[in-house]
Amino acid sequence: MRIVRTVAELRAAVAEAPRPVGLVPTMGALHEGHGVLIATAAERTRFVVVSSFVNPSQFDEQSDFAAYPRDEEADARLAEAAGADLLFAPAVDEVYPRGFATAVSVTGVSEPMEGAVRGRKHFDGVATVVAKLFNMVGPDVAFFGQKDAQQLAVIRRLVTDLDFPIRIDAVPTQRAADGLALSSRNVRLRRADRERAPALHRALRAAERAVEDGERDAARIRAAALAAMDDFGVEPEYLELVTPESLEPVTTVDGRVLVAVAARIGGTRLIDNALIDTPAAAGGGRSGGPSHDTNDAEIEDPPGDRDRQRPALRRFDHGRPRAARGG
């Protein structure tokens, strides 16, 4: 795996790479969840670019930006082990050179939930840096985690509206044994806060169980989820049931719904979500229960050579079945 730091070096490397090219955008501080993203990209494409860039424009507070963990050496080891071919680790002035004066703003899906709490600047920062990375790399497929469901919706809207010829693949959320979604922020949890952090996952499970038991009223499902969080002494910043694509609130669960939650535990802010299907959405002989953290409908085999395999992928696949190859 090579490490490059300039757009010129990046483009030269990608120009010589076999297609399809996969991109995994990250802000560094890589963990096992990122490893699964990279391994998935390596399974589905022939050349994988991982970007590691702590984007200042999407932080609400300068202190949060300064405190964000950075360890490029560890990131490089994990990225290479997971199957990356190229690590793009630019300086801030490489991405935002002097005189930079352009922003990309996605309205609608960026406004509720995270947008309401963190303000419009956050998703403007996300959309701008992702658009720049898409132009810098020119990937065929870009891989994002389902954990950041609203970010995923913003990026899909961006790709559609600006006609980027890129497929967006969502990868299921990776979790600790107690259900806590893996995140670079988890290392900032104190021991007592870490014990309370599964509250978000428990809330999602409570919502799922309510649907499994036949509840369809969104307010009652939300109340069950809130009660589960209250058991941990955690109050959410928001806990919403919305449509997965447009993020519009739902009053009745009929089909697929996204349950999204955010909470501050101690000094650390956490987010999580679950996709839940009712029988009308499940169909096809399925039981009609929840479809937690899945997005299989969005994933297809990429064009081109599908036979590439890397031994290092095994450590990150968590026993998930691999896509069929060579047929």
Side-chain angles (χ1 to χ4, degrees):
M1 185 190 75
R2 290 179 56 197
I3 300 176
V4 298
R5 303 189 185 281
T6 69
V7 176
E9 291 174 312
L10 170 67
R11 286 177 170 162
V14 173
E16 298 176 353
R19 310 298 295 203
V21 169
L23 170 64
V24 181
T26 82
M27 292 209 301
L30 302 188
H31 51 68
E32 192 174 359
H34 292 110
V36 173
L37 275 173
I38 298 165
T40 302
E43 289 178 329
R44 296 178 184 169
T45 64
R46 297 184 63 203
F47 189 87
V48 178
V49 178
V50 176
S51 64
S52 177
F53 177 66
V54 184
N55 180 29
S57 68
Q58 69 189 72
F59 282 84
D60 310 320
E61 300 174 5
Q62 182 61 32
S63 59
D64 198 19
F65 171 71
Y68 194 86
R70 296 164 171 84
D71 188 342
E72 185 181 303
E73 184 176 340
D75 291 347
R77 286 196 302 269
L78 188 149
E80 184 171 24
D85 296 283
L86 194 71
L87 179 65
F88 178 47
V92 172
D93 58 5
E94 181 70 17
V95 177
Y96 300 118
R98 185 173 182 177
F100 185 83
T102 300
V104 178
S105 184
V106 178
T107 60
V109 292
S110 67
E111 294 165 8
M113 301 189 306
E114 290 295 291
V117 173
R118 304 183 68 174
R120 184 168 180 167
K121 178 183 177 183
H122 170 68
F123 280 122
D124 286 357
V126 171
T128 300
V129 77
V130 170
K132 285 180 69 69
L133 287 169
F134 285 171
N135 281 325
M136 292 171 180
V137 178
D140 300 288
V141 191
F143 297 83
F144 294 88
Q146 177 62 34
K147 183 182 80 70
D148 296 295
Q150 187 169 9
Q151 173 179 277
L152 190 59
V154 168
I155 290 165
R156 284 185 166 135
R157 186 77 264 162
L158 168 77
V159 166
T160 297
D161 289 354
L162 297 188
D163 299 307
F164 281 107
I166 300 168
R167 196 183 76 223
I168 303 301
D169 277 8
V171 178
T173 302
Q174 304 302 307
R175 299 184 178 277
D178 60 2
L180 177 64
L182 299 188
S183 169
S184 301
R185 295 177 181 268
N186 291 354
V187 298
R188 297 163 62 179
L189 289 165
R190 299 176 182 176
R191 178 177 296 181
D193 294 332
R194 176 62 183 82
E195 293 175 356
R196 299 165 63 221
L200 283 77
H201 179 61
R202 297 290 180 85
L204 300 176
R205 291 294 296 131
E208 291 177 329
R209 284 193 297 270
V211 174
E212 285 177 337
D213 292 341
E215 184 61 71
R216 295 294 179 265
D217 181 82
R220 293 194 183 101
I221 296 168
R222 182 175 184 273
L226 289 171
M229 296 189 76
D230 190 56
D231 290 343
F232 287 81
V234 174
E235 183 176 351
E237 290 183 338
Y238 62 78
L239 196 161
E240 303 292 344
L241 281 76
V242 298
T243 58
E245 296 82 15
S246 63
L247 306 186
E248 296 174 352
V250 300
T251 56
T252 302
V253 175
D254 182 15
R256 174 164 279 199
V257 65
L258 175 74
V259 185
V261 60
R264 190 172 291 276
I265 300 180
T268 305
R269 188 171 184 276
L270 302 176
I271 63 172
D272 205 347
N273 69 85
L275 289 164
I276 301 177
D277 288 332
T278 58
R286 290 173 55 185
S287 66
S291 176
H292 186 64
D293 283 337
T294 61
N295 206 7
D296 296 339
E298 302 297 337
I299 296 173
E300 304 170 357
D301 286 333
D305 186 350
R306 299 175 176 84
D307 294 328
R308 176 172 173 258
Q309 178 132 358
R310 302 177 188 228
L313 303 189
R314 296 179 183 273
R315 61 185 293 186
F316 295 106
D317 67 8
H318 292 269
R320 301 199 324 273
R322 297 181 185 277
R325 295 178 178 276

